[in-house]
Amino acid sequence: MAADTVDKELLKGTIPLMVLSLIDKRDLYGYQIIKYLRVLSGETFVFKEGTLYPILHSLEKRQFIVSYWQESSVGRKRKYYRISEQGLRELTDRLMAWNTFTGAVALVLEGEVPVNEA
Amino acid sequence: MAADTVDKELLKGTIPLMVLSLIDKRDLYGYQIIKYLRVLSGETFVFKEGTLYPILHSLEKRQFIVSYWQESSVGRKRKYYRISEQGLRELTDRLMAWNTFTGAVALVLEGEVPVNEA
DNA sequence: GTATATACATAGCGCGGCTAGGCATAGGAT
DNA sequence: ATCCTATGCCTAGCCGCGCTATGTATATAC
């Protein structure tokens, strides 16, 4: 595994977190979110539509985000998403969970393993 | 989701990393690894045997760890694991992947979302 | 006219971890 | 004596997330 590739498994659960975080800053449409994830992550997160769209649909179904169509001067219509009240709460919760999680992993990785038996 | 609970989804792929990291420090047996993960993580990672043992078997099958039985003064026999050469390489790779991954997530979470359209 | 980029959608698969159960030994409590 | 708890190992089968693969549609560049 090269240093600039991500273990896909590690991603589980973090994509919705990142998506909510981005939409929280500004209303975005799907294709745009894929680009932002790619650019902001320094080309680490390169997702296909097949990965992101179902996640957006799931987030909308659970009412964390709300969609609306909007014309663009170029290309076809875009489906924008904005975050809801529940979405804000979900984002807060997921951020806490993320920090707890990475903190706990760090503790284990840096932790001393006692030499004595239990 | 409470702050002291982990989103199980986030765990995907990180358990083998933590397990390899622990065994790298000292030979350990399964039940012991569960305890260390629980204690070192500050009660964040509380795994059942049904979670850990299959992971150990998988790591051994891929020859990242090697097992051997050893009597104990109390209780039944224990199956210890030690890390192999390949396991050391795997651990290094997974550590890099972990750092890349968490770094990229941080970039996205803290990233500025430009106001202009692409 | 066809290749590329944009933009959205979904059925179905793969795979990691978890549930739920089982087996076995020892020590302490009742 | 019997039960509970802790220790210690094992596995079939499920669940759920993300990915593959594919399809549709519009606009621009060559």
Side-chain angles (χ1 to χ4, degrees), chain B residues 39-90:
Chain B
V39 172
L40 288 174
S41 71
E43 305 295 319
T44 300
F45 298 136
V46 183
F47 299 123
K48 303 280 179 56
E49 293 98 316
T51 297
L52 193 70
Y53 288 129
I55 288 174
L56 287 171
H57 299 158
S58 162
L59 288 174
E60 180 166 36
K61 194 174 178 186
R62 285 180 283 163
Q63 305 188 45
F64 295 143
I65 58 179
V66 183
S67 69
Y68 58 94
W69 287 92
Q70 193 164 298
E71 297 279 354
S72 79
S73 46
V74 294
R76 51 176 292 186
K77 287 173 78 173
R78 292 160 172 174
K79 193 176 186 179
Y80 280 85
Y81 292 93
R82 67 171 169 75
I83 199 162
S84 70
E85 280 299 322
Q86 289 126 288
L88 275 174
R89 261 177 270 130
E90 179 74 7

Side-chain angles (χ1 to χ4, degrees), chain B residues 86-98:
Chain B
Q86 289 126 288
L88 275 174
R89 261 177 270 130
E90 179 74 7
L91 173 56
T92 308
D93 288 348
R94 280 183 185 261
L95 276 174
M96 286 198 308
W98 172 252

